[in-house]
Amino acid sequence: MTSPSQYTPPEMQERIKRYAQSKPSGFHEYHLRQNYRDLCLIYGKEAARELLNEIADTTEERMK
């Protein structure tokens, strides 16, 4: 098995994309909702929402 650190960023992006596309969309939505609920329990609803928005924004920037 190859270590993730052995892949270049474009190779890793392609592997992540293939993995994401191999799962049904409901799979990702379920896990996102589950993780959001966990964040709400840890940080509270507003802070969890802000954190999720920050994650989405920074991820979007990295994908450009």
Side-chain angles (χ1 to χ4, degrees):
M1 182 167 219
T2 307
S3 167
S5 62
Q6 295 175 333
Y7 294 110
T8 63
E11 289 172 329
M12 188 55 107
Q13 284 289 79
E14 186 58 34
R15 288 177 60 85
I16 292 168
K17 183 178 177 182
R18 281 197 312 265
Y19 172 78
Q21 291 173 338
S22 71
K23 306 290 183 189
S25 63
F27 173 85
H28 299 295
E29 292 169 11
Y30 171 79
H31 285 282
L32 180 59
R33 289 175 194 278
Q34 186 176 24
N35 291 331
Y36 178 69
R37 282 192 301 266
D38 292 345
L39 290 172
C40 286
L41 292 172
I42 295 167
Y43 298 110
K45 190 175 179 180
E46 277 304 311
R49 185 179 305 228
E50 289 176 22
L51 179 60
L52 197 56
N53 286 333
E54 181 182 325
I55 291 168
D57 291 343
T58 57
T59 301
E60 183 179 340
E61 284 297 316
R62 288 186 213 161
M63 294 177 67
K64 290 181 180 178

